Amino acid sequence: MALMPVSDALAAVLAGAEPLAEEMIALDQAFHRVLARDVAARRTQPPEAMSAMDGYAVRAADAAKVDAQLTVVGEVAAGRPFAGTVGAGEAVRIFTGGVVPAGADAVVIQEDTIADGKRITIKEAALTGRHIRPAGIDFREGDVLLRKGARLTDRDLALAAGMNHPQLSVHRRPKVAILATGDELVMPGSTPGPGQIVYSNGYALHALARSEGADTIDLGVAADTLAATTSGIRRARESGADILITTGGASVGDHDLVQQALRHEGISMAFWKIAMRPGKPMMNGQLGPMRVIGLPGNPVSSYVCGFLFLVPLIRALSGRSMIHHRRERAVLGRDLGANDQREDYLRARLETRDDGTLVALPVNHQDSSLLANLAAAQALLVRAPFAPRAASGTPCEVLRLPE
């Protein structure tokens, strides 16, 4: 079977993926949720001209000369406007956030005045508009400031609150069920027997999915029997999972039962050998609304394939406007040999030179079982199929890994 290009495999995973249904949620629950609709301001901010400093609201013409004297006729604090109008030779004491009273067109800060009872002396000439925040300087009613498909940051929540939105319409979080397979797997903290290894794949995949905004369901480890594997798949369906991820059993050996169990449940599977390293065997299919991705069992292969295929699928179902990973330009930190027919995703550390150049340093050992090197990596260095030998300093592309 010919090896499938990574781009074709990703296109197949994403085919038909549409954002999940909308739901209204409280603003304080919206961090890192994805907007289902544009958000427009319900008010103008600030609604009126406001003072940016503590001082005195004046008519600039009256305070245009040093040593000019004005009479204080009132006071403005935040939330307590002055009811009158500032007339000739008058000033109103004002505090930061106070509404600039009618008649005033400048604020003289308190440090630039000398106060003597109800009289002040100007020590720094006033300028029209100085220390005043005009109405609408931040935004105006009707302005669309948050766009559909945005994943909301902490700053976005502050903006939405300022726009007077107590709730927002977002897409439902995807539910990702994760099922491991293998008689050889034991849980962390156990004492492995002969031929057994400690299960690790699921911990990274759960964290990866959650970091992208998905809810996860742990289906545990299924024994290498058709009944146990089938039971895990059925539990995924019963849980309402949008995505089922399996790890291990993605090859065609006698003990690799995942494909057989999936077909038994009625899932039409595409079984691929992908032109990538690490990772080559992977499955993809769908049963009703539930999408299925079968990942390799090797820890690094499982994670890299999850990063490259699961993350964009979660983003697509979440309604994100940006689905694909962004590639960054860097230069090689050491020489690399020629590549074969598989697209290579080398685990690499990143350094930044004094001139700002990003340098990618591939770790020395790239075996797909080496968790320590994966944990130490900050990026995947992407090498195209049949890339020629490349010397240190050659331009390259990297995908940053989550921090």
Side-chain angles (χ1 to χ4, degrees):
M1 180 183 295
L3 298 180
M4 177 179 282
V6 173
S7 58
D8 290 353
L10 180 57
V13 167
L14 294 175
E18 295 291 337
L20 298 173
E22 296 180 33
E23 59 185 14
M24 290 295 293
I25 61 170
L27 184 59
D28 64 358
Q29 301 297 313
F31 180 57
H32 275 177
R33 298 298 296 271
V34 180
L35 282 176
R37 298 175 182 270
D38 291 347
V39 180
R42 291 177 168 175
R43 62 189 296 273
T44 295
Q45 175 65 21
E48 301 175 83
M50 301 284 189
S51 177
M53 303 288 285
D54 292 344
Y56 296 88
V58 300
R59 303 194 326 167
D62 294 339
K65 294 181 180 180
V66 173
D67 293 331
Q69 292 190 335
L70 305 176
T71 301
V72 179
V73 295
E75 181 178 288
V76 177
R80 298 202 305 272
F82 178 68
T85 299
V86 178
E90 294 179 342
V92 169
R93 182 76 166 107
I94 195 167
F95 298 92
T96 302
V99 175
V100 177
D105 59 5
V107 171
V108 179
I109 63 175
Q110 61 188 30
E111 294 90 337
D112 292 339
T113 64
I114 298 174
D116 182 12
K118 293 294 185 179
R119 301 284 289 175
I120 61 168
T121 301
I122 303 299
K123 304 308 294 181
E124 177 76 24
L127 297 174
T128 301
R130 193 173 189 185
H131 304 309
I132 292 177
R133 295 172 179 146
I137 190 175
D138 197 354
F139 51 81
R140 293 190 173 275
E141 183 177 355
D143 287 350
V144 176
L145 302 175
L146 296 171
R147 294 287 180 179
K148 174 182 176 179
R151 192 181 189 201
L152 294 163
T153 67
D154 46 6
R155 286 97 60 207
D156 293 335
L157 298 187
L159 176 57
M163 291 193 293
N164 205 23
H165 286 273
Q167 295 180 310
L168 294 172
S169 179
V170 299
H171 289 288
R172 178 174 66 77
R173 292 181 186 273
K175 295 179 181 178
V176 179
I178 299 175
L179 174 67
T181 64
D183 289 339
E184 76 279 12
L185 301 177
V186 298
M187 301 307 292
S190 305
T191 301
Q196 292 185 318
I197 59 174
V198 176
Y199 173 55
S200 61
N201 294 7
Y203 294 94
L205 293 172
H206 277 284
L208 186 63
R210 289 170 184 157
S211 72
E212 289 295 328
D215 292 327
T216 64
I217 303 163
D218 187 1
L219 298 176
V221 179
D224 281 326
T225 67
L226 183 59
T229 307
T230 300
S231 174
I233 295 167
R234 289 176 178 172
R235 285 186 286 125
R237 294 180 61 189
E238 292 165 359
S239 72
D242 300 294
I243 305 171
L244 168 62
I245 297 295
T246 65
T247 68
S251 296
V252 292
D254 293 340
H255 299 285
D256 294 326
L257 301 173
V258 174
Q259 182 180 190
Q260 185 179 345
L262 289 168
R263 292 189 186 282
H264 185 270
E265 289 302 294
I267 300 178
S268 177
M269 295 300 299
F271 185 81
W272 298 330
K273 290 185 180 296
I274 303 176
M276 63 176 291
R277 183 191 300 106
K280 182 172 70 172
M282 198 177 84
M283 294 177 287
N284 176 244
Q286 191 165 344
L287 181 59
M290 185 174 75
R291 294 169 173 269
V292 181
I293 300 177
L295 300 178
N298 271 330
V300 178
S301 300
S302 172
Y303 180 81
V304 171
C305 288
F307 178 74
L308 294 177
F309 297 102
L310 172 60
V311 167
L313 178 57
I314 290 173
R315 291 176 179 177
L317 295 179
S318 299
R320 293 271 295 273
S321 56
M322 298 294 292
I323 293 173
H324 297 284
H325 295 296
R326 184 172 65 89
R327 295 193 178 194
E328 294 182 56
R329 300 288 293 174
V331 298
L332 294 176
R334 66 177 177 86
D335 298 346
L336 290 177
N339 195 19
D340 60 16
Q341 76 272 23
R342 295 161 71 182
E343 189 162 283
D344 224 342
Y345 293 86
L346 303 173
R347 278 70 71 205
R349 293 185 297 275
L350 299 177
E351 295 180 356
T352 303
R353 293 175 179 163
D354 292 341
D355 63 359
T357 301
L358 188 65
V359 181
L361 295 159
V363 299
N364 290 329
H365 301 290
Q366 294 287 332
D367 189 276
S368 61
S369 67
L370 302 181
L371 282 171
N373 277 345
L374 176 63
Q378 297 160 301
L380 299 176
L381 193 165
V382 185
R383 300 202 75 212
F386 303 109
R389 292 176 60 87
S392 176
T394 300
C396 64
E397 292 186 330
V398 298
L399 300 172
R400 286 187 190 263
L401 295 173
E403 295 182 350

